[in-house]
Amino acid sequence: MSLIRRAVAVTTLAVASGGAWATPCDLAIILYSSGSTTPLSAHPECFAGGWTNVINQINGTSFTQALAVSRALEGRWSSDAPGPRANAGMLRGMAAGGTVGKWNLWGNLANNNNRQNYLADNGGTSNSDSDVLTATIGADYLISPGFVIGLSGAFDKGDTTGTNTLSPDVNQNDTDGWTLAPYLGWQINRNWAFDASLGWGGGKMKSNFNTEADNDRWFAAANLNYERWMGNWQFAGKGSLLHGVEDYDNMKVAGASTAGTAAENTIDQLRLGVQVGYWMNGFLPYAQLGYTTDLTRKTTQASAPSDPIGDDAWYWALGANFFSLPGKINGGIAYRQEEGRNNQKNWNLMLNVGFRF
C-alpha cells in the first residue's frame, strides 16, 4: 500500500474514533495491517500476539500448569514415606500400598515475573514489564498400584506494560485465560516416576488503546523424575519436555477486526534440573539448579523482531516441602530465578498443597 493510501486509512480511523488514533501504537497497528513491515519490529510492545510477549505468556500459563501437575504427583509419591523411610526397598507413596486413600486433591498458585529491555528496529529501546498469576487445581485417582489419572484446571490473569524510548506511549495489556488438562502419572519404581499432561484453553487480551484480541492455546508436557535417599539427604532430578502454542486472532481496534495482526506462536522447551534436600522432621528444605533451552520457536507473524532474548538460560531455586503423615497433607513453597538470557530477567514464586484421602 502506498504512503498516501496508508495516510488515508490512518486518517479515516482517527476520525471514526474521535481522534483516539494519535499514538505511535495506534499507527503501528494500522500501518502493519496495511502491509508495512516496519512498525511491528519497531514497536513490539504494541502487539498482543507479539513474539517476545507470547514467550513469557506461554511460560507463565501453560508451562506453569504442566509443571504444577508434575509437582503435585511428586508430593503424592513422596508423602507417605519421606526421608530415610524411602529405603524400605519398595515403591514409595501411594504405591507402597495399604492404608492410604486413592484420591489426591491439590492446588498450586504461581506468580511469574518477567522484565525485558532491548533495542527495537526503530533505534529506540523497547521495555516490557509483565506479571502473570496462575492458579491451578487438580484431582487424581489411583487406578492401580503406581498408576494414576487426573484432571487439572488453571486460571490466569496477567498484565504487561510496554514502552519505547522514542514514543510517549505506555501500552498496558491485561490478559485473562483458562486451561483444562487431563494427566497421568506412573511410578516406575521407588526411584523413577513419569507424568504427562495435555491441555487446551483460551483467553483474551485488552489494552488501554481500545484494542483486544482473543486467543486459543494448547500444550503437551512430559516429565521424568528421579529421587534417591542417602540417610536424611534427598537427591532428585527432573527432565521436562514442553510444547506450547498461543494462537491469537486478529486484533480488534475499537471493535473492528484489523486484518494481518493474527499470529500463531509455538515453543518447544527442554528443562533439566537437579535438587538436593535435607529431611528435618516433616520439612524438606532444598536447593535446585537447572538448565532450560527453547528447542524450537515458530511464529506466523510477519516482520517479527529479531530474537532479542536468546534460547538458553540457567536457573536456580530455593524451597521447602512439608509432609504431615497422619493428615496425609503435603505442600511447599519455592522461589525460582533464571540467569543468562539476553536482555531479560525472569523469576517466580510458587505455593502448593495436596491432600489425600
Side-chain angles (χ1 to χ4, degrees):
M1 178 180 288
S2 68
L3 290 177
I4 294 178
R5 291 176 63 193
R6 290 178 190 164
V8 170
V10 172
T11 303
T12 301
L13 285 173
V15 172
S17 60
W21 299 104
T23 69
C25 272
D26 299 329
L27 299 181
I29 293 170
I30 296 169
L31 292 179
Y32 174 70
S33 67
S34 302
S36 171
T37 59
T38 300
L40 171 56
S41 54
H43 292 281
E45 68 277 0
C46 298
F47 291 81
W51 183 227
T52 54
N53 291 336
V54 172
I55 292 174
N56 181 55
Q57 187 74 8
I58 293 175
N59 278 310
T61 57
S62 295
F63 290 174
T64 292
Q65 181 177 359
L67 294 173
V69 167
S70 186
R71 190 174 187 88
L73 290 174
E74 289 175 23
R76 174 192 263 275
W77 302 137
S78 298
S79 58
D80 191 47
R85 293 181 59 187
N87 293 325
M90 58 184 177
L91 294 179
R92 296 172 287 117
M94 297 293 285
T99 61
V100 198
K102 293 186 175 183
W103 285 98
N104 181 40
L105 301 180
W106 57 271
N108 185 288
L109 186 65
N111 188 38
N112 294 271
N113 301 272
N114 182 275
R115 307 292 182 267
Q116 296 178 167
N117 181 288
Y118 60 89
L119 190 66
D121 286 357
N122 65 346
T125 300
S126 178
N127 299 282
S128 177
D129 185 340
S130 176
D131 296 291
V132 180
L133 182 66
T134 300
T136 308
I137 57 175
D140 49 69
Y141 182 77
L142 184 75
I143 61 175
S144 66
F147 192 81
V148 301
I149 57 172
L151 178 67
S152 69
F155 306 89
D156 57 86
K157 187 173 182 61
D159 63 85
T160 301
T161 300
T163 61
N164 188 291
T165 54
L166 297 185
S167 166
D169 279 348
V170 176
N171 189 37
Q172 181 72 43
N173 293 332
D174 294 321
T175 60
D176 294 280
W178 61 272
T179 314
L180 289 176
Y183 62 89
L184 60 85
W186 175 32
Q187 188 180 11
I188 303 169
N189 56 41
R190 68 189 183 99
N191 298 119
W192 292 94
F194 172 82
D195 64 83
S197 56
L198 180 65
W200 62 93
K204 180 183 287 290
M205 182 286 306
K206 294 184 178 180
S207 82
N208 58 324
F209 292 126
N210 199 25
T211 63
E212 63 180 52
D214 295 323
N215 75 290
D216 297 315
R217 67 172 64 145
W218 74 275
F219 74 85
N223 300 280
L224 183 64
N225 302 282
Y226 177 80
E227 178 185 310
R228 182 178 182 85
W229 288 88
M230 298 180 65
N232 285 344
W233 289 95
Q234 182 206 55
F235 299 90
K238 177 187 286 287
S240 302
L241 187 59
L242 308 165
H243 174 80
V245 178
E246 289 272 355
D247 188 358
Y248 275 83
D249 296 339
N250 283 322
M251 297 182 69
K252 294 180 181 179
V253 182
S257 180
T258 307
T261 55
E264 181 178 279
N265 302 290
T266 303
I267 299 177
D268 293 307
Q269 189 175 96
L270 173 68
R271 299 189 186 189
L272 300 172
V274 294
Q275 177 178 305
V276 178
Y278 187 78
W279 177 249
M280 300 174 62
N281 193 29
F283 288 88
L284 183 72
Y286 64 85
Q288 189 181 95
L289 182 65
Y291 169 74
T292 180
T293 182
D294 296 336
L295 301 172
T296 303
R297 290 184 186 171
K298 296 179 181 179
T299 180
T300 60
Q301 197 167 42
S303 184
S306 56
D307 182 9
I309 305 303
D311 294 333
D312 307 304
W314 295 94
Y315 64 86
W316 59 269
L318 295 175
N321 296 328
F322 73 86
F323 304 91
S324 174
L325 300 184
K328 308 305 179 187
I329 297 173
N330 65 84
I333 181 172
Y335 174 85
R336 176 183 179 274
Q337 181 169 316
E338 280 192 353
E339 308 285 355
R341 286 197 190 272
N342 300 324
N343 310 307
Q344 183 189 79
K345 295 180 179 180
N346 189 17
W347 63 95
N348 65 63
L349 181 66
M350 183 274 299
L351 302 170
N352 68 281
V353 64
F355 173 69
R356 295 175 302 152
F357 61 96

